[in-house]
């Protein structure tokens, strides 16, 4: 009795495995010789170049110091390293024998020309949303503009049995919502254009949506924020922790310039997205992305300069005579001490002046100190070849004044400088040759 149950279960298992095998199987697509490729017009190639940029294809398909698109860029996963393939039109080691149909299948289904499953390190769970026309344009660009390079792609280091490519079909079955982007008729054309780009080629969710234990994006937490390469890709939803909610206008500013007034700059992994990736898209497309994201966050446009968080933050930083010196010390420690700190055993050195004995701190007039803080010491000044950074853009007048006041009081015992804020403002405005 017990045995037959086990057998029956095994039987179901075998049938399921056979069914899965049938499901997982994809036939090879016939090789297409370069001479048989369709002809591409210039407009299609240019469109493909822009889309390839917005999909960061080159980022994952180019090794550090390697030829463009020649592959072997390592992508670490919890299961092992997978290498971006050679995507150049080289017939032997690249995709030179791929027909448009084979390329479309890879982008839409994650299956290579020979029928093998690709690891989802290529974000085909997003590319599946791209229209055939857009995928064909990327193909046209790669086949006509990318230089063929002969270089074999390294095998993934994923251990057996996880390295069996047909198993990836199960991953796809569980986690991929196959199929082209479907317009939401209740939204505007601009909104849908933004959603199409964000969910498809630009695959913003690949970094901004948290993943499950098998590395798939959690659909219920779309854009909920995730960790990427030890950086946090913040939530792009109402869960974003900013004190000032993101709005359509702030998204647009950030995505065009790389800096939002109320949220900071696009650093780390977000830098190449703004300055490389989507920078090639026409302005109307960036505006569409901002429209879509603005709707997800759902915050109305408001005068953020007057928001309570902004006012409180400005008030907190306001120079108050009672703690002005403490402020100066804090700024000095963060902006200057890493270079101007002397240890007793070594005495003082010329190349990193000790500011308690430096002339600039001891003169009756603070001009020299202020000048040096504003504009630094260039290579051809001072001790030659040694530089000190300029703080003109980084520190406000009152911050520079606070540092000067602190140095004067803590290091010299000389009378305090008068009117420091005004002196800094005057010297900042002064345009001279030195
Ligand atoms: C986040 C990294 C990443 C990005 C971005 C990316 N790819 Fe890939 N791609 C990969 C990896 C890794 C593989 C190899 C997967 C494997 O070995 O199963 C791959 C494989 C492919 C393949 C299959 C090639 C072959 O020989 O089997 C094609 C085609 C492809 N990518 C096209 C693109 C295009 C076009 C873009 C841009 C629109 C793109 N990829 C963006 C990581 C990426
Ligand atoms: C390769 C991973 C990656 C991709 C792809 C990516 N992002 Fe980001 N994003 C990040 C990281 C990391 C940060 C945090 C950067 C920082 O703090 O300077 C970030 C920050 C942001 C921010 C600022 C959030 C805040 O609260 O400060 C916005 C807005 C944003 N991304 C939108 C997008 C959009 C839109 C896309 C797709 C077009 C996208 N990101 C694609 C990784 C990514
Ligand atoms: C990255 C290192 C670095 C930082 C940070 C730095 N300095 Fe300097 N600073 C130098 C170096 C190096 C010199 C000497 C340049 C030379 O010899 O040509 C110097 C020189 C000076 C001098 C001497 C100028 C003169 O005419 O004799 C003053 C004053 C000074 N720094 C003040 C500051 C203050 C105040 C800050 C913080 C706001 C600061 N520095 C931050 C590296 C630094």
């Amino acid at each position: 009795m017990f045995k037959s149950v086990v057998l029956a279960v095994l039987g179901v298992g075998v049938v399921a495995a056979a069914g899965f095998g049938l499901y997982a199987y994809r036939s090879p697509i016939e090789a297409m010789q370069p001479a048989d490729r369709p002809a591409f017009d210039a407009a299609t190639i240019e469109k493909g170049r822009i889309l390839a940029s917005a999909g960061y294809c080159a980022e994952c398909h180019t090794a550090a110091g390697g030829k463009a698109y020649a592959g072997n860029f390592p992508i670490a996963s919890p299961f092992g390293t997978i290498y971006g393939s050679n995507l150049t039109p080289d017939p032997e080691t690249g995709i030179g024998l791929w027909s448009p149909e084979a390329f479309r299948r890879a982008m839409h289904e994650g299956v290579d020309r020979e029928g093998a499953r690709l690891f989802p390190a290529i974000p085909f769970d997003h590319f599946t949303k791209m229209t055939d026309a857009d995928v064909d344009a990327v193909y046209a660009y790669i086949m006509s503009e990318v230089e063929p390079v002969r270089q074999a792609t390294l095998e993934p280091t994923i251990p057996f049995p996880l390295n069996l490519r047909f198993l990836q079909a199960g991953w796809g079955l569980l986690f991929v919502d196959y199929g082209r982007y479907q317009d939401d008729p209740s939204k505007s054309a601009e909104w849908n254009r933004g959603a199409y780009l964000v969910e498809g080629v630009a695959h913003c969710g690949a970094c901004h949506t948290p993943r499950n234990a098998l590395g798939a994006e959690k659909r219920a937490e779309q854009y909920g924020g995730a960790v990427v390469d030890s950086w946090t890709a913040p939530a792009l939803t109402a869960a974003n922790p900013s004190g000032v909610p993101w709005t359509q206008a702030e998204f647009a500013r950030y995505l065009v310039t790389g800096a939002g007034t109320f949220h900071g700059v696009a650093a780390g992994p977000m830098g190449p997205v703004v300055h490389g990736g989507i920078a090639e898209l026409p302005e109307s497309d960036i505006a569409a992305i901002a429209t879509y994201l603005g709707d997800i966050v759902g915050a109305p446009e408001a005068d953020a300069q007057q928001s309570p968080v902004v006012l409180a933050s400005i008030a907190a930083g306001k120079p108050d005579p009672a703690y002005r010196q403490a402020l100066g010390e804090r700024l000095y420690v963060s902006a200057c001490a890493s270079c101007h700190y002397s240890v007793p055993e070594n005495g003082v050195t010329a190349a990193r002046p000790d500011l308690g004995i430096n002339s600039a701190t001891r003169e009756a007039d603070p001009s020299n100190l202020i000048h040096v803080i504003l504009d630094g010491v260039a290579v051809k000044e001072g001790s030659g070849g040694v530089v000190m950074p300029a703080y003109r853009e980084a520190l406000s007048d009152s911050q520079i004044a606070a540092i000067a006041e602190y140095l004067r009081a803590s290091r010299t015992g000389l009378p305090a400088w008068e009117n420091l804020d005004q002196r800094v403002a005057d010297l900042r405005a002064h345009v001279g040759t030195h």
Side-chain angles (χ1 to χ4, degrees), residues 261-287:
T261 310
F262 303 98
H263 301 90
V265 300
M270 190 58 198
V273 173
V274 169
H275 298 293
I278 61 170
E280 298 289 324
L281 291 171
E283 266 173 48
S284 58
D285 276 350
I286 307 276

Side-chain angles (χ1 to χ4, degrees), residues 3 11 13 27 29 74 129 139 209 234 240 245-246 266 278 286 310 318 352-353 364 371 376 384 399 406:
K3 205 172 175 188
S27 53
I29 293 179
K129 305 264 176 276
Y139 175 84
T209 301
N240 184 286
W246 283 88
I278 61 170
I286 307 276
V310 169
K318 207 175 195 161
R352 280 173 20 158
H371 268 305
Q399 288 175 320
Y406 158 74

Side-chain angles (χ1 to χ4, degrees), residues 56 202-204 207-208 228 231-234 236 240 242 246 251 254-255 263 265-267 269-270 273 278 289 293:
Y56 334 112
H203 59 276
C204 312
C207 291
H208 286 274
V228 202
W231 283 73
T232 297
L236 301 178
N240 184 286
S242 314
W246 283 88
F251 277 127
Y254 180 93
L255 293 173
H263 301 90
V265 300
M270 190 58 198
V273 173
I278 61 170
I289 292 176
L293 295 178

Side-chain angles (χ1 to χ4, degrees), residues 40-41 43-49 51-52 100 103-104 107-108 127-141 180 193 196 201:
F40 312 110
D41 59 86
T44 305
I45 294 172
E46 173 62 5
K47 178 176 155 193
R49 185 188 67 79
L51 288 166
F103 188 76
R104 247 183 254 154
M107 297 288 282
H108 286 154
F127 297 158
T128 188
K129 305 264 176 276
M130 294 172 70
T131 61
D132 287 0
D134 278 0
V135 172
D136 289 352
V138 175
Y139 175 84
Y141 164 69
R180 278 8 103 222
R193 175 69 184 163
Y196 169 73
V201 70

Side-chain angles (χ1 to χ4, degrees), residues 332 335-336 338-340 350-353 355 358 360-361 369 372-373 377-378 381-384 386-389 391 395 403 407:
Y332 173 79
C336 324
S338 57
C339 294
H340 286 289
R352 280 173 20 158
L355 299 183
N358 189 267
T361 343
L369 180 59
V372 170
I373 300 177
V377 181
E381 304 170 308
S383 47
V386 181
V387 280
M388 133 121 195
Y391 290 86
L395 297 175
I403 292 174
L407 283 172

Side-chain angles (χ1 to χ4, degrees), residues 15-353:
V15 170
F20 179 72
L22 278 179
Y23 168 79
Y25 179 74
R26 284 288 186 284
S27 53
I29 293 179
E30 214 181 307
M32 174 181 266
Q33 294 306 321
D36 299 332
R37 262 184 228 142
F40 312 110
D41 59 86
T44 305
I45 294 172
E46 173 62 5
K47 178 176 155 193
R49 185 188 67 79
I50 292 169
L51 288 166
S53 174
Y56 334 112
C57 317
E59 297 259 333
C60 285
H61 286 278
T62 310
K67 293 237 171 76
Y69 286 98
N72 289 342
F73 175 81
I75 297 170
S77 84
F79 313 104
T81 301
I82 302 163
Y83 296 89
S85 334
N86 181 337
L87 216 55
T88 73
D90 176 59
E92 264 174 52
T93 59
I95 58 168
L97 297 179
W98 289 40
S99 61
E101 188 195 353
F103 188 76
R104 247 183 254 154
R105 186 171 71 172
M107 297 288 282
H108 286 154
E109 296 177 49
V111 175
D112 77 5
R113 188 184 69 78
E114 263 117 38
R117 297 279 166 171
L118 296 168
F119 290 102
I122 161 172
F124 69 88
D125 49 337
H126 291 276
F127 297 158
T128 188
K129 305 264 176 276
M130 294 172 70
T131 61
D132 287 0
D134 278 0
V135 172
D136 289 352
V138 175
Y139 175 84
Y141 164 69
I142 290 176
M143 292 304 178
S144 1
E145 300 292 308
V146 174
E147 192 196 322
V149 177
R150 186 142 308 177
Q151 171 173 283
T153 303
L154 298 169
E155 283 300 319
T157 64
I158 294 180
F160 180 85
L162 294 175
N163 63 348
L164 295 174
R165 287 187 174 268
F166 77 91
L167 290 176
Q168 293 303 318
W171 193 93
L173 186 64
L174 288 173
F175 302 125
V176 181
D177 189 7
Y178 292 103
R180 278 8 103 222
Y181 176 77
Q182 299 298 320
D183 271 359
D184 178 344
S186 72
K187 305 286 188 181
S188 69
E190 194 187 34
W191 188 100
N192 276 298
R193 175 69 184 163
Y196 169 73
L197 292 165
V198 167
E199 291 180 21
V201 70
H203 59 276
C204 312
C207 291
H208 286 274
T209 301
R211 293 176 186 268
N212 65 21
L214 290 173
E217 290 172 34
K218 296 183 187 167
R219 272 186 232 161
E221 294 172 43
Q222 197 181 29
Y223 311 129
V227 173
V228 202
D229 282 350
S230 77
W231 283 73
T232 297
L236 301 178
T237 62
N240 184 286
S242 314
V244 181
W246 283 88
T247 60
Q248 182 182 337
E250 178 79 341
F251 277 127
R253 193 157 40 225
Y254 180 93
L255 293 173
V256 170
T257 65
T261 310
F262 303 98
H263 301 90
V265 300
M270 190 58 198
V273 173
V274 169
H275 298 293
I278 61 170
E280 298 289 324
L281 291 171
E283 266 173 48
S284 58
D285 276 350
I286 307 276
I289 292 176
T291 295
Y292 172 62
L293 295 178
D295 186 48
I296 293 178
V297 168
E301 298 295 338
D303 185 358
Q305 292 288 7
Q306 297 304 320
S307 92
V309 183
V310 169
L311 296 177
S313 181
I314 292 175
K318 207 175 195 161
D320 165 356
Y323 75 75
R324 167 85 165 223
Q325 214 175 301
L327 174 72
E329 177 167 15
R330 186 153 57 85
L331 286 165
Y332 173 79
V333 166
S334 56
C336 324
S338 57
C339 294
H340 286 289
Y341 177 79
S342 309
V343 281
E345 305 88 273
N346 298 345
V348 298
T349 58
R352 280 173 20 158

